[in-house]
Amino acid sequence: MSSLKVALVTGAGTGIGRAVSLHLAKAGYDVCLAGRRIEMLNETQALGGDLAQHLHPMPTDVADEGSVNATFEQIKQKFGRLDVLFNNAGRGGPPVPIEDLPTDVWRDIVNINLTGMFLCAQGAIRMMKAQTPQGGRIINNGSISAHAPRPFSIGYTSTKHAVTGLTKSISLDTRQYNIACGQIDIGNAETPMTERMTKGVLQPDGSTRAEPRMDVNHVAESIVQMVGFPLDTNVQFMTIMARTMPFIGRG
């Protein structure tokens, strides 16, 4: 059994999940790397350098209950406990009018962004309730789309609004078990997912404009700050964003 604290990061193979995983390892965590592509998880591990031994690739499809359950069983067998879940895995959708969004794409967005977070939260809560000492911390990646939509983003926006309800319900229903649940809402971090922002994206007024981005490591530093508090303190909601991006007022 590891004497270090244990974290699980979903979507750990790229972008925000990768940056958070590396920063948590630097902060003294053994980090379980969950994602669908083992080659990307291995790349994240390799980027850990001297800390690679504290980064543990665990291929996982968060939308598949059996896959999620197998990952939590692996964590239980390897470490015996879980201190932090960063519920990060997610996907967007094609920027098309509502009536043109294929139903199978809608379902896939919901399965990954919402059902996947629910399944991982279930697994984490079961472990955190049963372990000694009891408790832990869950942080859900909400996105600023949990507050305001972009044009033609109904799948992503709907699920991210739902994540806020998930966060609040987990906070309420698990407080007696020493589990803290919060949400981080991120705007335009520099990742492959936001590369298109630099080339211009559709704005609510119909124009197309490039948008500023921020260093993804600032997001990771914020997560480290959130998990650094004792469990009697919770950052319920945090918003971190590129200062001049069009969000407040959406323009």
Side-chain angles (χ1 to χ4, degrees), residues 1 71-81 127 130:
M1 298 296 180
T71 293
F72 277 95
E73 182 60 29
Q74 188 176 354
I75 295 169
K76 184 177 178 181
Q77 293 300 319
K78 189 174 184 68
F79 298 107
R81 66 177 294 106
M127 284 192 70

Side-chain angles (χ1 to χ4, degrees), residues 114-127:
L114 183 57
T115 304
M117 280 204 185
F118 166 71
L119 292 173
C120 290
Q122 273 194 325
I125 290 164
R126 289 181 182 126
M127 284 192 70

Side-chain angles (χ1 to χ4, degrees), residues 9 31 44 64 67 106 124 152 161 227 231 234:
V9 176
V31 186
T44 298
D64 182 272
S67 179
W106 165 270
F152 301 136
H161 273 64
V227 304
L231 289 176
N234 189 32

